[in-house]
Amino acid sequence: MENIQQQDDAVERGEACPPAVILCEPQLGENIGMVARAMANFGLNDLRIVNPRDGWPSEKARSASSRAHHVIDSAKVFDSVEEALADLQLVFATTARSRDIPKPVVGPDVAAQEAVVSSQQRGDKVGYMFGRERWGLNNDEVALANKIVTLPVDPTYASLNIAQAVLVCAYEWRRQATAGLLPFTLDDYDAEPATQAEIGYMFKHLEEALEVRGFFRPLEKKPVTVRRLRNIFQKAGLTGNEVRIMRGVVACFEKYGRKRDG
């Protein structure tokens, strides 16, 4: 019920609802736990498990989830794939093998685009279906999906751990849903850009200090060197604070590093 309410709230806000992850007959609790961790990394929380071999709940899954307990605690267990998919409008079946089933095949990036659009614009509930660790989904299960998702892996070694496959699909979904927004940045976006006058004064200060120290040798090449130095600072996109720091550096050179006569 909690997942359903979260989906309804997301639709009302015009946001993309995180897709469900359906695991078909997973064999190891540890793999389920690592899937839960991958889901939590990218904001997915609707985990559906079809006939887990070792039963449910699973302490091994909880331990391997690396504290993604909210995903483990809200996971639902189903007796059949049909029941797990019953409320979904768009289902992607993930597979690394070619199938004898005429069905659209897309990469994880395109699948994510379609998942986000269908969720935002139509309020569709979306799911990604993953198969068994040893041999994936069977053809009957793939036939239940709208489209196939396959990853651009090396065909000579196409086998992925189930959690890795979930991670790639979850990452692509998150990237599309947030338009690539990163959780933080270290750029100084809030700082005031330096004015051309500030940069000009700074460069005049620097040029005079370099002149005193005999930097411009030979003298006939000074105009070219000055232009290139100016270009370095123009391309840097300096802030006002950075300009003041640079002037402090130059002042330090003037005070303690002045070239002695003779």
Side-chain angles (χ1 to χ4, degrees):
M1 292 298 294
E2 182 179 356
N3 286 336
I4 293 174
Q5 184 61 52
Q6 290 174 342
Q7 292 169 348
D8 292 342
D9 292 343
V11 171
E12 289 182 4
R13 294 191 300 267
E15 299 174 358
C17 177
V21 170
I22 302 96
L23 304 183
C24 297
E25 299 182 353
Q27 297 169 291
L28 299 175
E30 293 89 343
N31 285 336
I32 299 174
M34 288 188 286
V35 165
R37 179 179 182 178
M39 293 173 61
N41 285 150
F42 297 103
L44 279 61
N45 51 47
D46 187 357
L47 176 60
R48 307 181 183 193
I49 310 170
V50 180
N51 292 326
R53 186 190 67 180
D54 295 336
W56 194 262
S58 168
E59 284 305 314
K60 290 182 178 180
R62 176 177 290 272
S63 177
S65 71
S66 189
R67 297 188 299 279
H69 295 165
H70 62 290
V71 178
I72 295 293
D73 292 339
S74 62
K76 305 180 188 70
V77 178
F78 296 87
D79 294 327
S80 69
V81 178
E82 288 83 356
E83 291 175 350
L85 305 180
D87 65 326
L88 304 178
Q89 283 93 12
L90 177 60
V91 177
F92 296 98
T94 62
T95 180
R97 294 181 287 113
S98 178
R99 307 288 181 139
D100 294 328
I101 303 174
K103 197 176 291 289
V105 179
V106 297
D109 52 343
V110 174
Q113 292 172 3
E114 295 181 1
V116 169
V117 169
S118 65
S119 176
Q120 285 180 328
Q121 296 184 359
R122 299 191 298 272
D124 291 348
K125 294 179 180 179
V126 181
Y128 286 76
M129 186 165 43
F130 298 85
R132 301 147 191 83
E133 292 93 327
R134 292 186 63 184
W135 49 276
L137 296 167
N138 62 42
N139 286 341
D140 289 338
E141 291 161 346
V142 172
L144 296 173
N146 301 93
K147 295 187 177 183
I148 289 174
V149 176
T150 193
L151 277 57
V153 294
D154 186 333
T156 62
Y157 193 77
S159 176
L160 267 72
N161 176 281
I162 188 172
Q164 294 174 327
V166 171
L167 185 73
V168 171
C169 292
Y171 162 77
E172 288 290 355
W173 178 86
R174 181 80 175 184
R175 190 170 65 88
Q176 292 295 330
T178 64
L181 181 67
L182 298 176
F184 66 89
T185 176
L186 298 180
D187 292 326
D188 201 6
Y189 287 129
D190 295 332
E192 189 74 19
T195 66
Q196 290 301 309
E198 288 174 322
I199 295 174
Y201 291 137
M202 177 202 71
F203 191 80
K204 185 174 184 296
H205 190 182
L206 175 62
E207 184 178 349
E208 290 172 350
L210 292 174
E211 182 76 56
V212 169
R213 286 156 183 78
F215 177 79
F216 298 110
R217 301 280 179 86
L219 288 177
E220 59 268 22
K221 291 189 176 180
K222 178 180 175 180
V224 174
T225 304
V226 167
R227 283 196 298 271
R228 290 180 176 175
L229 283 172
R230 284 184 181 275
N231 193 46
I232 290 173
F233 291 106
Q234 290 292 348
K235 292 191 298 183
L238 298 175
T239 65
N241 185 54
E242 288 168 339
V243 165
R244 289 188 288 274
I245 291 173
M246 282 300 303
R247 295 199 67 175
V249 170
V250 176
C252 183
F253 287 155
E254 290 178 318
K255 183 176 182 180
Y256 296 108
R258 188 178 299 276
K259 183 179 179 181
R260 296 182 180 180
D261 294 335

